[in-house]
Amino acid sequence: MKFLADEGIDRSIVDGLRNLGHDVFYVVEQARSLDDEIILGKANEEKRIVITRDKDFGELVYRMNKAHAGVILIRLEGYDTIKRGEVVCKHIEKYSSELENAFTVIQKGVIRIR
Protein backbone atom coordinates (compact mmCIF):
# COMPACT_ATOMS: atom_id res chain seq x y z
CA MET A 1 0.00 0.00 0.00
CA LYS A 2 0.96 3.62 -0.43
CA PHE A 3 0.88 6.08 2.46
CA LEU A 4 1.65 9.73 3.12
CA ALA A 5 2.77 10.25 6.73
CA ASP A 6 2.10 13.75 8.07
CA GLU A 7 4.73 15.64 10.10
CA GLY A 8 3.36 14.59 13.50
CA ILE A 9 3.69 10.88 12.78
CA ASP A 10 6.35 8.95 14.66
CA ARG A 11 9.36 7.61 12.80
CA SER A 12 8.54 4.19 14.34
CA ILE A 13 5.30 4.08 12.34
CA VAL A 14 7.02 5.09 9.10
CA ASP A 15 9.87 2.60 9.60
CA GLY A 16 7.46 -0.17 10.62
CA LEU A 17 5.35 0.30 7.51
CA ARG A 18 8.40 0.43 5.26
CA ASN A 19 9.74 -2.76 6.87
CA LEU A 20 6.42 -4.40 5.96
CA GLY A 21 6.98 -3.41 2.32
CA HIS A 22 4.72 -0.36 2.12
CA ASP A 23 5.57 2.77 0.13
CA VAL A 24 5.61 5.69 2.60
CA PHE A 25 6.11 9.33 1.66
CA TYR A 26 7.14 11.00 4.94
CA VAL A 27 6.55 14.77 4.93
CA VAL A 28 9.41 15.33 7.41
CA GLU A 29 11.90 13.87 4.92
CA GLN A 30 10.64 15.68 1.84
CA ALA A 31 8.59 18.84 2.29
CA ARG A 32 8.15 20.21 5.80
CA SER A 33 5.30 22.54 6.78
CA LEU A 34 2.89 21.70 3.99
CA ASP A 35 -0.67 22.93 4.39
CA ASP A 36 -3.20 20.18 5.23
CA GLU A 37 -5.14 20.76 1.99
CA ILE A 38 -1.94 20.38 -0.03
CA ILE A 39 -1.09 17.16 1.82
CA LEU A 40 -4.56 15.74 1.21
CA GLY A 41 -4.44 16.76 -2.46
CA LYS A 42 -0.99 15.27 -3.02
CA ALA A 43 -2.00 12.04 -1.31
CA ASN A 44 -5.18 11.84 -3.39
CA GLU A 45 -3.30 12.45 -6.66
CA GLU A 46 -0.80 9.72 -5.81
CA LYS A 47 -3.46 7.37 -4.36
CA ARG A 48 -1.81 7.46 -0.92
CA ILE A 49 -3.59 7.05 2.40
CA VAL A 50 -2.79 9.94 4.75
CA ILE A 51 -1.60 8.96 8.23
CA THR A 52 -1.95 11.84 10.67
CA ARG A 53 -2.53 12.92 14.27
CA ASP A 54 -4.20 16.13 13.06
CA LYS A 55 -7.99 16.19 13.54
CA ASP A 56 -8.26 18.95 10.92
CA PHE A 57 -8.25 16.24 8.24
CA GLY A 58 -11.68 15.17 9.50
CA GLU A 59 -12.97 18.65 8.78
CA LEU A 60 -11.44 18.60 5.29
CA VAL A 61 -13.02 15.23 4.50
CA TYR A 62 -16.42 15.58 6.17
CA ARG A 63 -17.26 19.27 6.31
CA MET A 64 -15.49 20.42 3.16
CA ASN A 65 -15.99 17.18 1.17
CA LYS A 66 -12.39 17.12 -0.05
CA ALA A 67 -11.45 14.14 -2.20
CA HIS A 68 -9.11 11.62 -0.61
CA ALA A 69 -7.69 8.13 -1.09
CA GLY A 70 -8.08 7.43 2.64
CA VAL A 71 -7.15 8.97 5.97
CA ILE A 72 -5.93 7.25 9.14
CA LEU A 73 -6.19 9.43 12.25
CA ILE A 74 -3.95 8.22 15.08
CA ARG A 75 -5.29 8.92 18.60
CA LEU A 76 -2.92 6.91 20.81
CA GLU A 77 -2.04 9.39 23.54
CA GLY A 78 -0.25 7.80 26.46
CA TYR A 79 1.59 5.23 24.34
CA ASP A 80 5.29 5.65 23.72
CA THR A 81 6.57 5.89 20.15
CA ILE A 82 7.46 2.18 19.93
CA LYS A 83 4.01 1.09 21.13
CA ARG A 84 2.28 3.49 18.71
CA GLY A 85 4.32 2.03 15.84
CA GLU A 86 3.38 -1.53 16.82
CA VAL A 87 -0.32 -0.76 17.20
CA VAL A 88 -0.63 1.22 13.97
CA CYS A 89 1.28 -1.34 11.88
CA LYS A 90 -0.75 -4.22 13.35
CA HIS A 91 -4.06 -2.51 12.52
CA ILE A 92 -2.96 -1.52 9.03
CA GLU A 93 -1.96 -5.10 8.26
CA LYS A 94 -5.17 -6.52 9.73
CA TYR A 95 -7.56 -4.08 8.05
CA SER A 96 -5.63 -3.26 4.86
CA SER A 97 -8.48 -4.25 2.55
CA GLU A 98 -10.81 -1.71 4.22
CA LEU A 99 -8.57 1.37 4.45
CA GLU A 100 -8.62 2.74 0.90
CA ASN A 101 -11.05 5.65 0.49
CA ALA A 102 -12.09 5.33 4.15
CA PHE A 103 -11.68 7.60 7.15
CA THR A 104 -10.14 5.48 9.90
CA VAL A 105 -9.51 6.35 13.54
CA ILE A 106 -7.11 4.22 15.59
CA GLN A 107 -7.51 4.64 19.36
CA LYS A 108 -6.52 2.53 22.34
CA GLY A 109 -8.36 -0.76 21.92
CA VAL A 110 -10.59 0.56 19.12
CA ILE A 111 -10.44 1.06 15.37
CA ARG A 112 -13.27 2.82 13.53
CA ILE A 113 -13.44 2.66 9.73
CA ARG A 114 -16.01 4.75 7.81
Side-chain angles (χ1 to χ4, degrees):
M1 295 184 83
K2 293 171 61 175
F3 297 96
L4 187 153
D6 197 8
E7 282 186 63
I9 294 302
D10 299 308
R11 167 69 65 182
S12 63
I13 294 171
V14 173
D15 290 344
L17 290 172
R18 286 176 175 164
N19 288 338
L20 291 168
H22 298 288
D23 177 348
V24 183
F25 178 95
Y26 192 19
V27 172
V28 170
E29 296 171 340
Q30 306 290 330
R32 288 182 174 268
S33 301
L34 290 178
D35 181 79
D36 292 344
E37 284 192 58
I38 292 171
I39 288 172
L40 193 62
K42 175 179 178 49
N44 188 51
E45 287 173 17
E46 297 180 8
K47 304 295 183 226
R48 293 181 182 275
I49 297 170
V50 174
I51 303 174
T52 188
R53 294 173 72 178
D54 185 348
K55 291 187 262 184
D56 291 342
F57 283 91
E59 183 171 324
L60 291 172
V61 168
Y62 288 110
R63 193 172 76 79
M64 299 176 72
N65 291 319
K66 296 289 183 179
H68 65 93
V71 175
I72 299 172
L73 178 62
I74 309 299
R75 308 302 301 157
L76 295 172
E77 290 77 13
Y79 284 172
D80 65 34
T81 185
I82 302 299
K83 181 69 173 176
R84 279 193 299 269
E86 291 170 359
V87 169
V88 171
C89 290
K90 178 185 81 169
H91 284 316
I92 286 174
E93 288 298 292
K94 183 174 182 179
Y95 297 100
S96 62
S97 65
E98 301 174 53
L99 300 175
E100 290 183 17
N101 303 310
F103 193 95
T104 302
V105 180
I106 299 176
Q107 295 175 286
K108 290 181 182 180
V110 176
I111 183 169
R112 290 179 287 142
I113 303 170
R114 297 185 206 170

